[in-house]
Amino acid sequence: MSAPGYPWAGHASARSRLLEAAIATVSALGYEIVTVEMIVDVAGVGEGDFERSFADKDECCRRAFEDVCDHFDRHLLPVYARTAPAPAKIRAAAYACADYCREYQQRARYGLQVRSRYGRTSRAEQSLKFHLGQMDSLRDEDTAHRIPAAAAELSVGFFAGHAIRLDASGRLGELRASIPSLLYSVYNVYLGRSAAERLLQDEEIRGSQQLPNRSI
């Protein structure tokens, strides 16, 4: 691996290049295989730059994970900020997640691969609470009595679990095609089976009309 093939070579700060290199190498090879020397080589910086930026590989990769959290949160924020009915907001967020995994596949793969290692950092917890809070806000006063308190965790779990399985089989780019079935699971938790079936039917009709690349 060498730096010239990477977009940050020659123009980003050393620290930023090291973070991007960690994401690129770990997403491609796995955490255990990657070494500091690999990260330094791909970043196109000197070992002294690494030593001035991070204590070790673990700190570098942890910071890279937090950077992915920041990036992903910013990607979803415009969706959450929109005023829309609950099913429409869930749908928009689902497709935004799928678009993120397609457009930033290295970052998505990195986040999925190292979440068990760094998922309990304060930044990771803050990110998780942010997304759970958005999902939980869909439990309005009229429906909160019949929607499980764990609805947000269940919904996020559906998406995360499926993304992890796709990534493990090298098919993360197929996440978008899975959205209708994932939405059915979420709609079922929030709205009940009959409403979920109606909304899934509408979703399949939209799919047959060829959804645009961005459905948010």
Side-chain angles (χ1 to χ4, degrees), residues 34-45:
V34 170
T35 64
V36 169
E37 290 73 23
M38 288 178 180
I39 295 172
V40 168
D41 181 53
V42 170
V45 301

Side-chain angles (χ1 to χ4, degrees), residues 23-76:
I23 291 168
T25 53
V26 171
S27 65
L29 303 175
Y31 181 89
E32 300 302 334
I33 292 176
V34 170
T35 64
V36 169
E37 290 73 23
M38 288 178 180
I39 295 172
V40 168
D41 181 53
V42 170
V45 301
E47 290 187 12
D49 292 309
F50 186 94
E51 292 169 359
R52 284 188 289 273
S53 300
F54 309 106
D56 52 24
K57 168 188 158 182
D58 189 71
E59 183 186 356
C60 176
C61 290
R62 185 172 65 253
R63 297 301 182 192
F65 179 72
E66 293 172 354
D67 188 65
V68 169
C69 289
D70 289 339
H71 193 238
F72 181 69
D73 292 353
R74 290 196 301 271
H75 186 81
L76 268 290

Side-chain angles (χ1 to χ4, degrees), residues 2-12 17 20 24 42-43 106:
S2 58
Y6 292 88
W8 62 86
H11 55 77
R17 289 160 67 175
E20 293 294 341
V42 170
Q106 281 188 342

Side-chain angles (χ1 to χ4, degrees), residues 126-200:
Q126 179 186 359
S127 180
L128 178 60
K129 288 178 181 178
F130 170 64
H131 297 288
L132 290 176
Q134 293 297 324
M135 293 297 292
D136 197 50
S137 69
L138 301 175
R139 297 172 70 239
D140 57 34
E141 292 182 5
D142 294 331
T143 58
H145 68 283
R146 65 173 179 78
I147 297 175
E153 288 90 340
L154 288 170
S155 300
V156 172
F158 290 144
F159 282 85
H162 189 64
I164 289 168
R165 289 189 293 273
L166 287 177
D167 179 53
S169 60
R171 298 183 297 121
L172 187 58
E174 298 176 18
L175 180 59
R176 203 169 205 281
S178 306
I179 295 299
S181 61
L182 290 169
L183 285 175
Y184 174 78
S185 298
V186 174
Y187 292 154
N188 190 31
V189 169
Y190 277 94
L191 304 171
R193 181 174 177 179
S194 60
E197 288 175 348
R198 289 196 301 273
L199 288 167
L200 179 62

